Amino acid sequence: RFAHDADRYVPAEHPTPRIIELPSNDEGEAGPVPGRPDDDAYRAQRLHLLVALADVDDAATRSAAAGSLAVLSSDPRCCRYLFLAHPRAPDVLLGLADDQTLADDAMRAAFAHRVAVVWANAAACGDAQVAEKMRCQPGLVDRLQSMAADAQAPYCAAAKCAVERLA
C-alpha cells in the first residue's frame, strides 16, 4: 500500500524503470489533485506521512517512522520516491542519523541503524538516479563512511553495503 503509485510523484526527468506492480485492493489511493501545483503532488503519497513523522519531536514516533521507512525502502519504488520526489526526505534521514538530542547512546545507534538500512536499500535499488542523488547529498557519503568504520556498531554492515554500492 505504501509503494503503490509512488513512482507517480517522481519527476518526469527521471524515467521509471520497469517495476512489476503488485495488485492493490485499495480503491481510495490519492492521486494528484486538480489545481494543486505539481511540485506539491508528492504530498499525496503515503510515504510523505512517514517522512513527516520521522521529523517530529517525539523520539518514539521518530523511531517508529524510521523503522517503517527502513522496511519499506526494500521496495525500489519507495527509494525512488524518497530520493527523487520528496524534497526533504534525504535531509530528514541525515538528521536522524546524527540526532544528538537523544540522551541514550543505544537509542542513537538504533536510529543510525534504521537510517543506514534505508541508505543501503536505496543504494541497492538499482536506480542510477537514486545513487547519484545520494552521492550529491551533502554529508551523506561522509556519514556513511564514518558509520562503516565503526565495526562495533549495529549499523556498520548496512553502512558498509551502502558505501560499497555508491563507490
Side-chain angles (χ1 to χ4, degrees):
R1 290 179 178 256
F2 278 86
H4 182 71
D5 274 348
D7 274 340
R8 178 189 301 186
Y9 307 100
V10 174
E13 65 266 14
H14 301 286
T16 304
R18 174 128 170 77
I19 295 175
I20 298 170
E21 185 71 37
L22 297 174
S24 173
N25 61 359
D26 185 12
E27 298 300 324
E29 275 301 315
V33 177
R36 182 190 299 173
D38 288 341
D39 58 345
D40 285 342
Y42 72 92
R43 289 189 176 114
Q45 174 60 12
R46 291 177 178 173
L47 289 168
H48 169 68
L49 178 61
L50 289 177
V51 174
L53 290 172
D55 198 27
V56 298
D57 290 335
D58 181 55
T61 302
R62 283 196 321 267
S63 177
S68 297
L69 289 171
V71 170
L72 292 169
S73 66
S74 64
D75 189 309
R77 295 171 293 185
C78 293
C79 294
R80 288 178 50 75
Y81 174 83
L82 291 173
F83 286 91
L84 301 178
H86 199 287
R88 293 195 53 241
D91 292 328
V92 169
L93 290 169
L94 194 58
L96 284 173
D98 290 326
D99 195 343
Q100 297 302 316
T101 64
L102 301 167
D104 187 352
D105 286 341
M107 180 80 88
R108 269 196 292 271
F111 274 62
H113 180 255
R114 288 167 173 81
V115 173
V117 169
V118 173
W119 288 335
N121 287 339
C125 81
D127 190 302
Q129 286 97 2
V130 171
E132 186 57 33
K133 180 84 178 224
M134 290 176 70
R135 284 185 204 99
C136 293
Q137 178 70 24
L140 190 145
V141 174
D142 293 337
R143 180 66 176 125
L144 275 171
Q145 289 172 337
S146 69
M147 291 168 77
D150 189 358
Q152 301 299 323
Y155 46 75
C156 178
K160 278 183 183 177
C161 177
V163 168
E164 289 170 3
R165 293 205 182 255
L166 291 176

